[in-house]
Amino acid sequence: MRKAPTQKRSRERVENILKVACELIAAQGSDAMKMGELAQKAGVSIGSLYQYFPDKASVIHALADRYNDESRHCIEDALADVSSADELVRAFDQLIDTYYELFLAEPVICDIWTGTQADKTLRDMEMEVSRANAAMLTKAILRIRENDGDASTIAARCLLIMYSGEAAMRLAISVPPKEGREIVASYKRMVGREITDMTRV
């Protein structure tokens, strides 16, 4: 964002702009969304819109940031109390299922993810999120192992799990549902084996 809203009225205006952007993207995709149309439907002048978002990409990035924050909190909550390998595998399985259903139900997330590979800022954001999520998984595994293990090796394996998870989900939502569910199930099996191996002391 060009300018971070500080006053309540400004924050409400930005929230409304992002809400309308979600509606437009859900209806027609981000490629078809125009800044003029966004300003009109959000009830703000084009000047006010540009005051916060200099271009369409900045709107997409703000939405991606929001979804990424939500995903981090979701993963943190799911992994916070696991104390055994079986609990960790079950928690991760549930996370994968939750994310897949969420992405199927949220066209905005699908649209953002589809455009990730063509947008360097989104690619960098995805890597940052994958690293943050991998750090949480690494912490959970080391806790189960009672800190017995090479943290850097475990961290690298966890990064692969998280980053390949993004790719697996992108693939799963881009194919017919039956095929997508099999892709998700296959990813879960691979991750389950990897987590089980990493938690073995």
Side-chain angles (χ1 to χ4, degrees):
M1 292 179 63
R2 172 172 283 162
K3 172 185 174 184
T6 53
Q7 298 182 344
K8 181 183 177 184
R9 185 176 175 186
S10 297
R11 290 195 298 272
E12 289 173 348
R13 182 178 297 142
V14 168
E15 285 297 317
N16 184 55
I17 290 169
L18 292 176
K19 175 177 173 289
V20 172
C22 282
E23 293 168 357
L24 290 173
I25 292 171
Q28 61 194 29
S30 59
D31 287 345
M33 185 179 73
K34 302 288 187 288
M35 293 294 276
E37 180 185 22
L38 176 56
Q40 180 185 13
K41 291 190 178 295
V44 299
S45 69
I46 193 69
S48 293
L49 176 59
Y50 283 131
Q51 186 177 10
Y52 298 105
F53 301 102
D55 52 31
K56 182 166 66 174
S58 64
V59 177
I60 303 298
H61 297 161
L63 291 173
D65 240 349
R66 177 166 298 186
Y67 288 123
N68 288 335
D69 283 343
E70 290 174 3
S71 77
R72 278 194 294 267
H73 290 309
C74 185
I75 293 170
E76 189 173 23
D77 289 345
L79 302 184
D81 298 322
V82 296
S83 58
S84 71
D86 287 344
E87 286 181 7
L88 180 54
V89 170
R90 283 196 299 272
F92 208 85
D93 270 10
Q94 184 59 53
L95 276 171
I96 294 167
D97 288 338
T98 299
Y99 272 85
Y100 179 56
E101 295 302 330
L102 175 63
F103 296 138
L104 284 179
E106 286 285 351
V108 176
I109 302 178
C110 295
D111 188 283
I112 291 171
W113 267 25
T114 301
T116 297
Q117 298 310 305
D119 185 319
K120 185 180 185 305
T121 301
L122 288 178
R123 288 201 308 274
D124 291 345
M125 195 182 296
E126 181 181 49
M127 177 58 76
E128 181 183 341
V129 169
S130 292
R131 287 193 180 281
N133 293 341
M136 288 187 275
L137 181 57
T138 301
K139 182 178 178 182
I141 289 171
L142 287 172
R143 183 171 65 246
I144 292 168
R145 292 177 60 103
E146 297 182 345
N147 291 317
D148 177 17
D150 183 348
S152 61
T153 299
I154 292 171
R157 293 170 74 177
C158 289
L159 177 58
L160 176 60
I161 287 172
M162 291 301 188
Y163 195 80
S164 61
E166 304 278 352
M169 288 295 164
R170 256 198 303 274
L171 176 59
I173 62 176
S174 66
V175 299
K178 183 178 179 182
E179 188 178 13
R181 292 186 190 285
E182 184 51 48
I183 288 168
V184 171
S186 180
Y187 174 71
K188 286 167 63 175
R189 288 191 294 271
M190 289 188 291
V191 169
R193 289 192 295 268
E194 185 72 355
I195 288 176
T196 300
D197 183 61
M198 282 192 287
T199 51
R200 190 180 295 118
V201 179

